[in-house]
């Protein structure tokens, strides 16, 4: 019976000399077969090693390419981030400058408002002085008229 259920013969069975049986040493003519198998095994192992080396080389190249791509992407993003950071610093500086200028303007505006209020108060006082002066002038005219009337009345009574 064939141990292979498919009925296919293994490479060893195909290369096994016809007279060889299980457990019996191979015949003398089977030596070239062993040499051929050994050579095939060595060729197979050499090809596998070449494939492994090629695969390892490709893996290293892929890792290097991925690293370069990652670095390029990060550099590209860093340029944008650096630009945004610089813009933010400029904006912060402008905001501080604007705050200082706004505080100076508010102080100056307060001074101007104080000056205008003082000027307005002075105008009111001038208006009050002018009004007071008119009032006194009117009172003086009234008194002068009354004195003049009294003086003329005394003159007329003394002449009559």
């Amino acid at each position: 019976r064939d141990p292979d259920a498919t009925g296919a013969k293994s490479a060893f069975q195909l290369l096994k000399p016809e007279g060889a049986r299980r457990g019996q040493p191979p015949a003398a003519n089977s030596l070239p077969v062993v040499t051929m198998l050994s050579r095939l095994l060595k060729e197979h192992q050499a090809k596998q090693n070449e494939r492994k080396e090629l695969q390892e080389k490709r893996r290293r190249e892929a890792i290097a390419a991925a690293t370069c791509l990652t670095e390029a992407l990060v550099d590209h993003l860093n340029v944008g981030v650096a630009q945004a950071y610089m813009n933010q610093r400029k904006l912060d500086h402008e905001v501080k400058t604007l705050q200082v200028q706004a505080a100076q303007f508010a102080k100056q505006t307060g001074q101007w408002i104080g000056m205008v209020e003082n000027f307005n108060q002075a105008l009111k006082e001038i208006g009050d002085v002018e009004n007071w002066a008119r009032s006194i002038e009117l009172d003086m005219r009234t008194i002068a008229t009354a004195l003049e009337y009294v003086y003329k009345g005394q003159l007329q009574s003394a002449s009559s």
Side-chain angles (χ1 to χ4, degrees):
R1 269 172 51 182
D2 188 10
D4 189 3
T6 61
K9 294 186 176 189
S10 70
F12 285 113
Q13 287 173 337
L14 288 173
L15 296 173
K16 184 165 58 171
E18 286 194 28
R21 293 194 178 130
R22 264 187 190 207
Q24 292 181 349
N29 66 350
S30 68
L31 192 56
V33 172
V34 172
T35 306
M36 187 171 73
L37 282 176
S38 176
R39 186 174 43 86
L40 284 175
L41 180 63
K42 286 180 183 176
E43 287 176 7
H44 174 70
Q45 288 174 343
K47 285 183 183 179
Q48 273 189 329
N49 286 339
E50 287 177 18
R51 283 189 203 124
K52 284 181 183 179
E53 288 174 9
L54 181 62
Q55 186 177 9
E56 183 64 24
K57 179 183 172 187
R58 288 180 179 165
R59 186 184 69 81
R60 285 191 303 264
E61 289 173 353
I63 289 172
T67 301
C68 288
L69 174 65
T70 303
E71 287 175 359
L73 288 173
V74 167
D75 288 345
H76 178 70
L77 290 176
N78 281 344
V79 167
V81 169
Q83 185 64 41
Y85 177 73
M86 291 301 295
N87 289 345
Q88 183 64 38
R89 286 187 62 196
K90 287 178 184 176
L91 284 173
D92 289 343
H93 178 71
E94 291 295 322
V95 165
K96 287 178 183 177
T97 303
L98 185 60
Q99 286 175 338
V100 168
Q101 289 176 348
Q104 289 174 346
F105 181 69
K107 182 179 177 181
Q108 189 176 27
T109 303
Q111 290 172 347
W112 288 348
I113 288 172
M115 289 172 55
V116 168
E117 286 176 354
N118 290 341
F119 180 70
N120 192 25
Q121 185 64 32
L123 285 178
K124 285 181 183 179
E125 288 174 4
I126 290 173
D128 289 346
V129 168
E130 186 180 353
N131 190 26
W132 175 77
R134 283 188 193 143
S135 177
I136 288 180
E137 183 183 2
L138 185 61
D139 289 344
M140 294 301 242
R141 284 188 187 182
T142 304
I143 292 172
T145 305
L147 286 175
E148 191 178 316
Y149 181 72
V150 168
Y151 178 73
K152 284 184 185 177
Q154 283 179 353
L155 283 179
Q156 285 178 359
S157 56
S159 27
S160 17

